[in-house]
Amino acid sequence: MKPTEPTTEVVELVPARIACYYRVMPLSCKNGQLRVAISDRADLDRLDELRLALGYTIEPVQWEEEAILESIKQYYGIGADTLERLSRTATDTVAVEEKEEDLADLSADSSIIKFVNQLILDAYRERATDIHIEPFEKDLRVRYRIDGMLYETSIPSQVKQWQEAIVSRIKIMANLNIAEKRVPQDGRIKVQVGDERLDLRVSILPVAHGESVDIRILQRSNVFLSLEQLGLSEQGLEVFNRVVRKPHGIVLLTGPTGSGKTTTLYACLDKMNSIHRKIITIEDPVEYQMRGICQMQVLPKIGFTFAAGLRSMLRHDPDVMMVGEIRDFETAELAIRAALTGHLVFSTLHTNDAAGAVTRLLDIGIETYLVASSVECVVAQRLVRLVCKGCSRRVKPDRWLCKELGLNAEEEDSFVGGEGCDACRGSGYFGRTAIGEIMVMNESIRELVSARAPAGTIRNRAIKQGMVTLRDDGLVKARAGFTSLEEVLRVTQSDEDLAGL
């Protein structure tokens, strides 16, 4: 039960440390009587202690404990009791723990260490993939990226004065130089939440009002999805299963950062991983460790680049090779020549669609005959949010939306949409799935590549031969009730735009 929302004035009557310690939420105050939400109205000892601590007559209101904790986080902010205690005792020092600690053990130290742990723990529980800590002139903003979208989270207003201490604590955890504030730094943290082990990738950038921090949260247990779990269509799954059985050639995945390319690559490697195959990868960085696969991480500072790693891999008798990203001519040429000499190579490119990957290779200087003879398949991928099952409902498609997507509003049945609930933070979405277009190279398309045809021409030929576009795959999932039309429009470009590339 969650009746009236408390006002700011009422919240200020109860210090954060008392609200957190007694697990109560102030609701209203009138004539010296304070109404508070409490999980057990019969707990007379707790009510007496509250009356003595606050100096008010206490009127208890029964709430679920989970609702109370959520309200404390919403109105006081994450770690409010910790920062309030620090504000009263500004002489507190930041303790450094060398060993890996359990983030859920919040009783260890009431300091910046505890606040940073609370922040990471809250982000993990909210299913965030990134934590953004952004300093501005008068405040510090914290945002979580959940299902690909950014949401601001509630933190106490006084957190600004501890900005440098928070960044320093994160640097210590990531083994970075806390004295260096002029240049970007990148690091890694390993932490544990209960039985779950997390890898945190830390990126720190110097900005106008301090240092901006991004913490990427990687859960080892969540990456190993099979090809069947990726959300591929039956046609797409059949193509993938054919590709992973090929003895040689290059398979390219394209899409922006955060489109699930790495997860798809790992699913392919996991499918091929056997005692009879030697699989080697070179990545930046190694996001997840896979048993039975030799994985290398690039180190540009000492000259160990993708290209250098590829040369070494070729001398190590591999059957399958995975290159994290093709960034330059040298890496592209080595990967393609490896594909032509009997190896199956997987890699990624940053292009808008499948056809664009082929012309990108030509643009960076690879000969047409090498591209035409080595590339076996190109997959363009995006992630769309799934409609929340807890608040999904049937909706009539909007006419403007149908027009943008090339649909006839009169002929379309109702689609699904989410009203918004506590489980999905009011967004109407919970979780994500992949949509993709898979362009298999055949003789017809190889001829166009050899003739240096533009991407639009190659794309149109592939569509005529049965390729399902990103948008069409998205519409299939929208009609099946997995996602919404708004989400399909958000993540896909129109065919007309792509045809001009």
Side-chain angles (χ1 to χ4, degrees):
M1 172 181 170
K2 227 179 176 184
T4 57
E5 297 293 334
T7 63
T8 304
E9 292 76 12
V10 173
V11 171
E12 290 175 350
L13 293 177
V14 181
R17 68 185 186 280
I18 292 179
C20 293
Y21 180 78
Y22 290 105
R23 298 197 172 190
V24 296
M25 184 66 207
L27 301 176
S28 63
C29 185
K30 187 175 182 181
N31 299 327
Q33 188 175 55
L34 181 66
R35 296 177 71 244
V36 298
I38 190 169
S39 59
D40 183 6
R41 295 178 59 184
D43 191 344
L44 299 180
D45 290 340
R46 187 160 35 150
L47 294 173
D48 284 342
E49 289 178 20
L50 277 172
R51 179 177 56 79
L52 291 172
L54 299 174
Y56 291 96
T57 302
I58 305 298
E59 180 189 344
V61 177
Q62 188 80 28
W63 275 25
E64 294 290 336
E65 185 165 311
E66 186 178 342
I68 294 172
L69 295 177
E70 185 64 32
S71 291
I72 290 174
K73 186 178 80 172
Q74 178 182 350
Y75 289 97
Y76 288 97
I78 299 167
D81 57 329
T82 301
L83 293 179
E84 187 178 90
R85 191 175 293 111
L86 280 171
S87 297
R88 296 199 322 272
T89 57
T91 57
D92 280 2
T93 57
V94 178
V96 180
E97 297 288 343
E98 296 297 336
K99 67 182 186 299
E100 184 176 291
E101 55 190 325
D102 189 337
L103 290 181
D105 182 12
L106 300 178
S107 62
D109 184 31
S110 297
S111 66
I112 292 298
I113 294 175
K114 180 177 177 181
F115 175 76
V116 172
N117 285 359
Q118 286 175 311
L119 190 64
I120 297 171
L121 182 62
D122 182 67
Y124 164 75
R125 288 173 173 167
E126 293 284 353
R127 304 181 299 108
T129 55
D130 290 84
I131 305 171
H132 293 269
I133 303 173
E134 303 159 313
F136 298 98
E137 183 178 4
K138 296 181 179 179
D139 65 333
L140 187 71
R141 183 172 68 181
V142 176
R143 294 190 290 175
Y144 297 159
R145 188 175 295 278
I146 303 172
D147 292 336
M149 304 294 286
L150 282 171
Y151 298 92
E152 186 169 3
T153 193
S154 177
I155 57 172
S157 58
Q158 66 265 37
V159 73
K160 176 65 177 178
Q161 64 181 302
W162 304 106
Q163 171 184 315
E164 292 190 8
I166 292 168
V167 175
S168 293
R169 172 58 185 164
I170 294 170
K171 285 182 178 180
I172 289 168
M173 294 173 73
N175 293 316
L176 301 177
N177 184 354
I178 63 173
E180 181 57 75
K181 302 178 181 180
R182 302 165 299 174
V183 297
Q185 296 189 66
D186 296 303
R188 196 166 187 169
I189 305 170
K190 292 183 179 180
V191 297
Q192 185 170 334
V193 179
D195 297 329
E196 180 78 52
R197 294 174 66 86
L198 306 180
D199 284 334
L200 310 179
R201 283 164 46 188
V202 178
S203 177
I204 296 180
L205 296 175
V207 293
H209 299 288
E211 292 175 284
S212 179
V213 180
D214 174 72
I215 302 175
R216 171 70 58 86
I217 302 174
L218 303 172
Q219 299 179 41
R220 298 181 188 179
S221 61
N222 285 355
V223 67
F224 297 115
L225 298 177
S226 66
L227 286 174
E228 291 75 17
Q229 294 173 312
L230 292 178
L232 297 169
S233 63
E234 289 186 13
Q235 178 189 3
L237 188 60
E238 181 185 347
V239 171
F240 259 109
N241 284 325
R242 282 205 314 268
V243 166
V244 298
R245 290 196 297 266
K246 287 183 177 292
H248 54 77
I250 186 166
V251 178
L252 296 171
L253 272 78
T254 77
T257 301
S259 59
K261 300 188 298 297
T262 301
T263 301
T264 301
L265 283 174
Y266 278 119
C268 292
L269 296 182
D270 188 53
K271 184 84 172 180
M272 294 181 290
N273 192 7
S274 74
I275 197 69
H276 305 295
R277 282 196 180 98
K278 175 77 171 185
I279 303 176
I280 308 178
T281 75
I282 180 164
E283 307 168 55
D284 183 21
V286 176
E287 293 192 4
Y288 302 96
Q289 297 175 8
M290 299 183 71
R291 180 175 173 80
I293 294 177
C294 298
Q295 296 171 272
M296 300 185 292
Q297 180 167 320
V298 300
L299 294 169
K301 291 181 180 178
I302 61 172
F304 188 50
T305 60
F306 280 117
L310 261 170
R311 291 193 194 93
S312 300
M313 288 163 69
L314 288 169
R315 294 191 289 271
H316 217 68
D317 188 31
D319 297 297
V320 180
M321 304 162 68
M322 192 266 272
V323 184
E325 184 182 345
I326 291 177
R327 298 175 177 173
D328 52 37
F329 169 77
E330 187 178 15
T331 305
E333 186 179 42
L334 285 168
I336 284 177
R337 291 194 181 278
L340 291 173
T341 54
H343 305 88
L344 183 58
V345 181
F346 290 83
S347 191
T348 69
L349 276 174
H350 287 289
T351 61
N352 290 321
D353 65 337
V358 174
T359 55
R360 176 66 57 84
L361 292 174
L362 299 178
D363 290 341
I364 64 177
I366 304 299
E367 295 292 338
T368 54
Y369 73 92
L370 291 175
V371 176
S373 56
S374 64
V375 177
E376 294 292 339
C377 176
V378 184
V379 181
Q381 184 170 300
R382 300 288 189 278
L383 293 178
V384 293
R385 292 180 291 172
L386 294 169
V387 172
C388 176
K389 293 180 180 179
C391 61
S392 65
R393 58 186 176 87
R394 305 301 299 187
V395 295
K396 189 68 179 173
D398 182 85
R399 287 183 175 275
W400 174 86
L401 199 57
C402 288
K403 181 180 179 182
E404 289 293 311
L405 291 168
L407 304 176
N408 187 332
E410 302 299 330
E411 298 177 358
E412 294 293 335
D413 294 327
S414 61
F415 289 84
V416 294
E419 288 186 309
C421 62
D422 290 341
C424 62
R425 298 174 63 99
S427 67
Y429 299 95
F430 191 98
R432 289 186 292 177
T433 191
I435 60 171
E437 61 182 30
I438 304 175
M439 186 178 77
V440 178
M441 298 289 283
N442 54 33
E443 289 306 315
S444 174
I445 293 178
R446 293 185 199 279
E447 289 176 3
L448 291 178
V449 174
S450 298
R452 299 189 73 92
T457 303
I458 297 173
R459 174 182 170 80
N460 290 335
R461 179 70 61 86
I463 291 172
K464 288 180 181 178
Q465 294 176 352
M467 182 183 79
V468 178
T469 66
L470 277 167
R471 175 158 291 181
D472 287 342
D473 192 30
L475 290 174
V476 168
K477 287 183 169 59
R479 289 190 175 100
F482 293 112
T483 190
S484 66
L485 291 181
E486 290 86 353
E487 189 68 2
V488 174
L489 182 63
R490 183 181 71 85
V491 300
T492 62
Q493 288 181 278
S494 69
D495 294 340
E496 290 77 10
D497 291 340
L498 288 171
L501 293 177

